[in-house]
Structures are given as structure tokens and as C-alpha cells.
Amino acid sequence: MATQKVSDSSFEADVLKSDKPVVVDFWAEWCGPCKMIAPALEEIASTLGEKSKVVKLNIDENPRIPSQYGIRGIPTLMVFKSGQVAATKIGAAPRGALQSWIEQAI
């Protein structure tokens, strides 16, 4: 399952009301480190299968949700479980580190 895009308007339905854990990647088009981790997140999303989902939220196109969650630097990854933030990771990391962080968090 590849990553999907979410927006300010779809965030509640796609993330907060999800019946499984959701990893949200807060990113922007101009962010080099965001682009660097994108392929790793795609791979991780496909290995997680039905256990959880990975979504991307463009902070330039959707300013409301990032400000609601106090996003100051990107990339920021947040794991949401039952509508609550379960874990947060700021900055880029190698695929292995991202995968183990996500697996521990979900």
C-alpha cells in the first residue's frame, strides 16, 4: 500500500478516525530532506501492508493541521493511534531507522 495524500479537510476522516495507526509525513515541495526520505517511506508503507497506513500532508497547501500540531521543522513524522499522537520524529533518518521507529510506535 503506497503512501496517500491527506489535506486539512480530509485529516479528521483519514487520520483521526482511522481504525489502524497512521504515520503522517509533514513535508513540503522545497524541503530536500523530505524528498530524501520519501522513497524510504513508500517502501515502509508497502511492507506494513494492512497493519497501518502512511500518509503525506503538504504543509504549504494545508497550513491548518501543521499549526494545530505545532509543526516547526520538516520533515516531521507523527504516528496517530485512535486519534491521538503516539510518537513524533523530526528530521530525516535512514530507512532502517525510520522503519524501526515506525514499527515500535505502531
Side-chain angles (χ1 to χ4, degrees), residues 8 15 27 36 47 52 57 60 68 70 77 82 86 89:
D8 280 350
V15 178
W27 74 289
M36 199 172 76
T47 62
S52 94
L57 188 134
D60 289 336
Q68 197 175 317
L77 300 172
S82 308
K89 184 171 190 57

Side-chain angles (χ1 to χ4, degrees), residues 21-88:
V22 182
V23 180
V24 181
D25 174 19
F26 292 92
W27 74 289
E29 205 58 59
W30 48 263
C31 167
C34 299
K35 289 181 174 176
M36 199 172 76
I37 66 168
L41 288 174
E42 288 287 339
E43 286 176 32
I44 292 166
S46 63
T47 62
L48 291 172
E50 294 301 308
K51 282 194 300 201
S52 94
K53 62 183 179 178
V54 179
V55 300
K56 298 171 79 68
L57 188 134
N58 184 316
I59 64 162
D60 289 336
E61 296 169 3
N62 303 284
R64 189 172 55 86
I65 295 296
S67 74
Q68 197 175 317
Y69 286 95
I71 305 299
R72 294 206 173 20
I74 55 172
T76 293
L77 300 172
M78 287 184 163
V79 175
F80 286 81
K81 284 185 189 168
S82 308
Q84 301 294 315
V85 178
T88 303

